[in-house]
Amino acid sequence: MATVVPSSSSSKACYNSDCKELKSDRPKKGWRLRTGEFAELCDRCGMEVGSPTSASSFSILNKTPKRGFKVKNNLQNDISIFRKKVDNVISHNSAFEEGRFCEIFHLNASGWRTCETCGKGIHCGCIVSSTAFMLLDPGGIECIACARKNIILPSNLPWPPSFSIQSRLTERLRDLSGKNWSQLAGSGPVPWKQAPSLFNTASSSDRHSDVPSVVEISSVEHIYGNERLPASSLEKKNDDLSGISPNWNVKLGAREMIFMNGMRNDEKSSSCLNMCQQQSSLKEDSSTQPFGLTVPYASSNERNGQIGVTGNHPQQTPPPPHGKQFSGPVHIALDSSGETQVRNGRPRADARGRNQLLPRYWPRCTDQELQQISLDSNSVITPLFQKTLSASDAGRIGRLVLPKKCAEVRPEAYFPPISQPEGLPLKILDAKGKEWIFQFRFWPNNNSRMYVLEGVTPCIQSMQLQAGDTVTFSRLEPEGRLVMGFRKASSATPSDQDNETNKTGNGYSTHGEVELADPSSWSKVDKSGYIAKEALGNKSSISRKRKSSALGSKSKRLRIENEDLIELNITWEEAQGLLRPPPNLVPSIVVIEGFEFEEYEDAPVLGKPTIFTTDDVGEKIQWAQCEDCQKWRKLPASALLPSRWTCSDNPWDPERKIDQHSQMNTNAFTQAIHIGSCSAAQELTAEQLEDLLPPCNSVVSKKMKSAKQDPDNVEALEGLDTLANLAILGEGEALPASAQATTKHPRHRPGCSCIVCIQPPSGKGPKHKQTCTCNVCLTVKRRFRTLMLRREKKQSEREAETTRKKQQPQLPQPPPPMSEILLDDDSLPCSNTGDSSSPNQNREGNEGSDDDPNRIKSSASPFKGQIDLNIQPEREEELSPSSDSGSMIKLLHDATERYLRQQSMSNSFPGDTSGGQSQKVGEEAREEKLCNGVVLGNSNHSADKEHAQTLSMKV
DNA sequence: ATGTCGCATGGTA
DNA sequence: TTACCATGCGACA
């Protein structure tokens, strides 16, 4: 009875071809026909159907011409039995009312089966009916009602209902508890042992031949002969399904066909409503529908049907095709325009919350790709999932992180279960047929597991993949082999765009919703397949606008890599220059690896790069350049400027107040207060600016020239990083920018010339001779010297401590105070007031202890006769006295003395508050300031201040 | 110094 | 809040 053969309304027979009855003179209305008319049923079949109320209750069903499906296997259903049963039912109710009519005009009525438990006939050939039964492990099916009774039975339906139905069917299943559904869902996937074909441990013949395993989307032509659904029908269908299936009508050209074997309920997709024999009820929330017959993937109709694409589980792998119904390609449904329907592939999933495979893993393969994958076989391809390669995936580590859902047995058991972290080797074919063997394994992670494929590097390289590209894992049926396809990021499918850039919060394309509501847009959508590609080139302003993109963190990272690379093409130094501490926050000081870092509770703020200095009265100021007039403006040091700052945003310039014609970029806030003006003259001369600019922004020759012209400035600059850089440059030819890069500390600012910032990164930069007296070398030497002094003192203290210990051996020794542990080499001469810290802070207090012989290293330096600027003073400290460091010490001493003599003309800094120290200490402290611009061993507050003082210059 | 392995961490949905 | 997962990182070879 489910096979409804369209017939002329003038026919006297009941429209139900299985009925054999003659319709009466007043036939009952049945479902809506493609012509827009309603099927005329006999009194019995159409009983109680003709009333408007009844009709409305079936509106979705009636108005929804469905895509046709074929059952790929050759399961012949005992329709006669079913007819009898239906007839029995009909004797009580209208068959149509009972929803036992399949809405599809099944020409061949394939797919009818009987429940193994109750014998109820169920059409298994369409998506909707897939919710009405479940496959049984031993074969056969069971209606949903019977399944409820055996709810703990695992479902044989790994694929959820691909399209949810807001229908009477749903209501009928509403009483099924969520818990039950959950349980069903949890059992959704077929246990791995039931799907051995993937690893060729069982032939296809082992499978249950009577299981309607593969349901394919057949072309409308196939179902309807050469007829096609009139546009009106399609429209009606979409009207009915509006709000149900936002994505399902996303269509592209045939070659852009995307596979989709299912949709979440909230996608509410629907392509085929098959109201067959629904005695059970679905939960209203179709998302909880755990069952689903294989939702057909779209497949290529090219290559004479050699490519079959299914969404079935291996267990449901169809037997070798035979017979006209089961052979040939899986046809994708065509819309009225004849274009191939495209869907975002969703592998089977139980659509239940966390058991659901994230949309980003849904396989979206073009048939071209599948054609690529299909090789030359007649295999059916089952896209499983895809993974957009992260940097880690594509990196040298060779580990491809697998989605847990795809890796674990349930519910997305694409890979064999592994219980040991070592996992199993997996053979995966690439599109060329080459076999790769990856280690499928996991490691524990947060009470969970993290699954990876190891050893993918050769494959990745072979495919020339990189981060952002996508690999697709499919299964080749009936061989059951895993196939790995790929898609370059540059050739991302439109659905990728749809899913990754157009996703709204719920992960579904708004396109789909719009398009669903307007079927006429289908053709647009079809084209959009290519348009979307073009849109990709635009780097999708949409994606940036969308706050909640479907992109994961991975994708965001990728996006940065791929799209914002240019925008991020700034150096670390520049980035540091952009960082500003959050306003009104005092940083805490953290010493890491001997280096001092300012740590803020809040993240640093990206601000406009400015130049910090002090004015002639010793007040900290900063200079900022107007974005409009390019003039430099003096601002308080505490000012935090936006990245785009103009004179009009300058409320600190009362003398340069509102200039009406320069308010282009003024916001309301700044208008309300004092506002600067671009018309105001710059307070900074070009030469002064030249001096202010950090070396990276200033031509060295100009700087030197400027220095010559202004001895005062050169004094300020020479004591800073400029001098260090120049010293490095002075070694010979100018170094490329990369060679000049230093390992500046995170809070480095222009002008900071602490030893951390002035030394080139490890392995970079020229090697300095022992006799070199450049600023960097002198700094290193001086630090070394102070280290030695400190070490001596430490040792003597330790000896004294040991003596005390011997006198009081029973008393536990408190840990040394932090000031002692973290004392900087230069802090020793300074006060040990506990606030000592510096960017150079080292741990020689510990590392330099003599009682740690492991730390004594040979001084055999690979750079004999040279000074490695990358050498760490604390390491130097560890030099063995027996080594040739003695000469080095002497050299250091000589250089230091020479340097001190050179600096003897320098006056004490006004901000030098290191009173109370010995003269030597004071000199050293000053010495540090002169050389590094940062008071080593001082608190960060004073250091910052004095840093600015060091930068002080008469502007 | 470099690569690998195993796990931990933290960002994100 | 939790789970996932991209990536960092220490240990080790």
Side-chain angles (χ1 to χ4, degrees), chain A residues 20 56 71 86 174 276 568 624 684 710 732 763 800:
Chain A
K20 309 300 183 185
S56 63
V71 176
V86 169
R174 184 177 298 169
C276 55
L568 291 177
L684 203 58
D710 190 345

Side-chain angles (χ1 to χ4, degrees), chain A residues 81-300:
Chain A
I81 297 175
F82 178 63
R83 284 173 181 167
K84 293 176 183 177
K85 294 180 178 296
V86 169
D87 287 345
N88 293 336
V89 175
I90 286 175
S91 63
H92 303 289
N93 295 296
S94 165
F96 183 70
E97 184 187 17
E98 290 292 334
R100 294 190 295 269
F101 284 102
C102 182
E103 278 279 303
I104 300 176
F105 301 108
H106 295 283
L107 286 176
N108 300 309
S110 298
W112 286 96
R113 308 189 65 203
T114 55
C115 173
E116 295 291 333
T117 302
C118 66
K120 189 188 307 175
I122 293 186
H123 186 259
C124 304
C126 30
I127 290 174
V128 170
S129 62
S130 67
T131 61
F133 70 96
M134 61 183 297
L135 295 174
L136 299 177
D137 289 348
I141 65 162
E142 190 175 52
C143 70
I144 196 65
C146 297
R148 290 174 53 197
K149 301 171 184 176
N150 303 294
I151 205 156
I152 59 173
L153 290 178
S155 167
N156 283 359
L157 299 174
W159 303 98
S162 57
F163 309 108
S164 64
I165 314 150
Q166 303 301 317
S167 67
R168 180 178 172 184
L169 172 65
T170 302
E171 296 176 358
R172 290 186 176 193
L173 297 178
R174 184 177 298 169
D175 60 342
L176 203 56
S177 71
K179 179 181 178 180
N180 290 344
W181 283 107
S182 176
Q183 289 169 319
L184 287 170
S187 61
V190 178
W192 182 255
K193 58 185 178 182
Q194 296 177 342
S197 62
L198 178 58
F199 301 96
N200 302 321
T201 57
S203 66
S204 59
S205 60
D206 295 332
R207 304 179 192 106
H208 304 298
S209 60
D210 59 343
V211 176
S213 53
V214 179
V215 180
E216 302 165 343
I217 297 178
S218 302
S219 68
V220 175
E221 290 94 334
H222 198 90
I223 295 299
Y224 297 106
N226 290 328
E227 294 182 19
R228 289 186 178 181
L229 287 173
S232 60
S233 298
L234 292 172
E235 291 172 3
K236 288 174 181 176
K237 173 181 69 179
N238 282 285
D239 288 343
D240 294 337
L241 296 175
S242 61
I244 295 177
S245 174
N247 277 357
W248 86 287
N249 60 340
V250 177
K251 298 184 295 299
L252 300 169
R255 299 202 61 81
E256 293 296 329
M257 176 180 63
I258 306 298
F259 295 100
M260 179 182 72
N261 71 331
M263 288 290 185
R264 262 194 343 216
N265 67 302
D266 44 351
E267 294 176 60
K268 295 173 181 171
S269 301
S270 174
S271 71
C272 172
L273 301 182
N274 182 7
M275 297 300 295
C276 55
Q277 200 71 16
Q278 293 294 342
Q279 300 296 335
S280 307
S281 59
L282 285 171
K283 194 167 182 279
E284 184 171 21
D285 179 4
S286 55
S287 70
T288 61
Q289 298 172 9
F291 304 119
L293 187 61
T294 298
V295 177
Y297 284 116
S299 89
S300 170

